[in-house]
Amino acid sequence: QVDSHRSTLAVAEADRVAQLDDARFEAAGPENDGSLAYRLEDYLLSASFLMQLNEFVSSHAHAFKDTKGWEHQHEWHDSFVEYGDMLNRRVEAFLRTEGVTPQEAVDACKKARAAGNKEYRFFEYLAAAIDYQKFHTVMLEFKKGKRDVSQWWKCFARTE
C-alpha cells in the first residue's frame, strides 16, 4: 500500500510539473484548423529548419544593403538562388504530398493572415524563396536585428 501511495504521489507530481511547463510554453504557431496554411506553418516551424535558417542568415545577411534606388549586387541574387534551393529541398516532399506549388502554399497563408490570423508568420521564409524582393527585405531585417533565429528555441516560448 505504501508503494501504491508513492506511485500516486509521483504521478501527481509529474502532472504538476507538466502543468507548470504548459504555463510557460505554448504552441508558437497558429491553432490547427486543418488548412493548408496551418500544415505549412507547422511543417516550417521546426528546430531543424530554424537552425538551418540561422546558419544561412549568419553566412549571408551581413552582405546585404538597403539599395535606396541603387542596383542590387549579383552576390545577393546568388544568395537568393542558394536560399531558394535550400527551401525547395526542405519543402519539396510537403508540397508534393499536398499537391500544390510554393506560390499556392504561400497564398493560402497570406489569405489566412489577411483573415485576421496573425499567428501565420513562418510562411514568409517560403515566400522569400520565390520572391527576390521579399528575400532582400528578409535579409535586411535579419541584418538589422528585426528578425532573429539565432536562439531558435525561443520561437517556441510563450511571448508574454
Side-chain angles (χ1 to χ4, degrees):
Q1 198 170 45
V2 170
D3 287 336
S4 175
H5 180 65
R6 284 183 187 155
S7 182
T8 302
L9 288 175
V11 169
E13 178 63 12
D15 285 345
R16 186 184 73 74
V17 169
Q19 287 173 354
L20 287 174
D21 284 344
D22 288 347
R24 287 184 296 222
F25 298 96
E26 64 184 2
E31 291 293 320
N32 185 352
D33 59 8
S35 68
L36 172 62
Y38 170 79
R39 291 189 303 276
L40 177 61
E41 284 285 305
D42 187 56
Y43 188 81
L44 289 176
L45 184 60
S46 69
S48 63
F49 172 67
L50 295 173
M51 288 187 288
Q52 184 179 23
L53 179 61
N54 181 57
E55 185 177 316
F56 181 88
V57 168
S58 296
S59 297
H60 297 279
H62 65 88
F64 285 79
K65 296 178 186 145
D66 196 349
T67 58
K68 292 187 172 91
W70 295 96
E71 196 171 300
H72 287 239
Q73 297 177 12
H74 291 289
E75 174 188 351
W76 301 346
H77 188 267
D78 293 344
S79 295
F80 171 67
V81 170
E82 183 181 339
Y83 180 83
D85 290 345
M86 178 184 83
L87 263 285
N88 284 336
R89 284 188 304 273
R90 180 123 201 126
V91 299
E92 180 181 11
F94 172 83
L95 296 173
R96 189 174 45 249
T97 300
E98 294 290 336
V100 297
T101 66
Q103 187 62 56
E104 290 169 326
V106 167
D107 288 346
C109 291
K110 285 180 179 178
K111 183 179 176 183
R113 194 154 87 177
N117 192 334
K118 302 292 185 214
E119 297 293 316
Y120 289 96
R121 61 185 187 271
F122 286 92
F123 79 92
E124 291 178 339
Y125 298 121
L126 179 57
I130 58 177
D131 178 346
Y132 175 79
Q133 291 301 323
K134 178 68 174 171
F135 172 76
H136 184 258
T137 299
V138 166
M139 289 297 108
L140 287 175
E141 288 172 352
F142 274 113
K143 182 178 180 176
K144 294 174 182 176
K146 292 180 180 178
R147 292 180 186 255
D148 184 5
V149 291
S150 63
Q151 296 180 0
W152 57 267
W153 57 91
K154 290 184 178 181
C155 294
F156 301 101
R158 184 179 293 270
T159 57
E160 294 181 313

